[in-house]
Amino acid sequence: MTDPISPSLLEAWNTYGQYLAYAIAGVGVLILLGHYLKLLTTTDAKSKYDYINMHEINLLWYGFLLILIGASLYANTLRPNTTWLWFFVWIFVTLMVSMIVGVVIQNVLKFYYPFFIEKRLKKLRFTPRISPDGRKMKLLSEEEEDVYLDEGMQAEEDAFSVDYDVWVDEVSGYTKIEKYNGRLHALQCSECNYQTLKIDREEVVQEASTPEEGELMKYYTCGYCGHKERKSFSISKLKSEEETTA
């Protein structure tokens, strides 16, 4: 282990190791550039909302991870004439540093970055839509939008599994209905204050009927500290036959 490494072997390692480092880091850079190019070229607010919601954190993690691996490999190709012992010591040190940096990046993306994403998604969701005629559309309230939703859509909203936004051009009558997953977002945990509180399960405590509302219980668990809590939601009462045919 204390013998010096052959100069030709070390030179080959440094040369081809750098090529590999460039390739790995380059893929990471391409992932990040591709992501931001996608954001720049996506003009529809709902499409951009869905893309950010489903892919942004994962793509940022993959991109930064590959860049980190490439940088770590590159750092191991900068050693001059050395012994096998110091060669492996240097690999171990750079590996440990890379793991620490990787854990920090992963925690930032998992526990802090969602706050930033939620603000962007909220802005995208409520940015006024534009009708084909070029006019700003109106976002209807929960009461107003029921006219445009069929019974299945209203049932999904009552179960809190799906949320619908209805946009209307008040001049032409053009309507756009957008669907959002009610279970998708994590809430802020009351214990650790991270945005990692997600729904585990839902239970209908009382079925809705024509004369009275029902009750839905949601059970949450924090993905960071393990805190559990539950929240009660009312389910809209069923419409009578007279109201349905009216």
Side-chain angles (χ1 to χ4, degrees), residues 2 10 12 33 51 58 73 83 91 100 102 116 124 132 136 138 152 159 187 190 217 222:
T2 58
L10 188 61
L33 289 177
Y51 175 77
N58 285 337
L73 180 59
T83 64
I91 289 179
I100 293 172
F116 174 64
L124 284 171
K136 286 186 177 181
K138 175 187 175 182
L187 304 176
S190 59
M217 190 69 70
C222 177

Side-chain angles (χ1 to χ4, degrees), residues 104-167:
V104 171
I105 293 175
Q106 186 180 46
N107 285 337
V108 168
L109 291 175
K110 185 176 181 180
F111 301 123
Y112 293 101
Y113 196 70
F115 287 97
F116 174 64
I117 283 187
E118 284 296 327
K119 292 180 181 178
R120 291 166 61 201
L121 293 181
K122 185 177 181 180
K123 182 178 180 181
L124 284 171
R125 180 169 179 176
F126 298 111
T127 297
R129 306 301 191 248
I130 305 299
S131 71
D133 297 329
R135 286 183 292 269
K136 286 186 177 181
M137 303 172 68
K138 175 187 175 182
L139 177 63
L140 300 184
S141 66
E142 291 291 331
E143 294 75 18
E144 294 173 322
E145 70 182 20
D146 285 347
V147 178
Y148 297 88
L149 303 179
D150 60 34
E151 291 185 1
M153 291 177 175
Q154 293 182 42
E156 286 180 314
E157 283 207 322
D158 288 341
F160 296 94
S161 60
V162 171
D163 193 17
Y164 288 97
D165 285 352
V166 180
W167 295 85

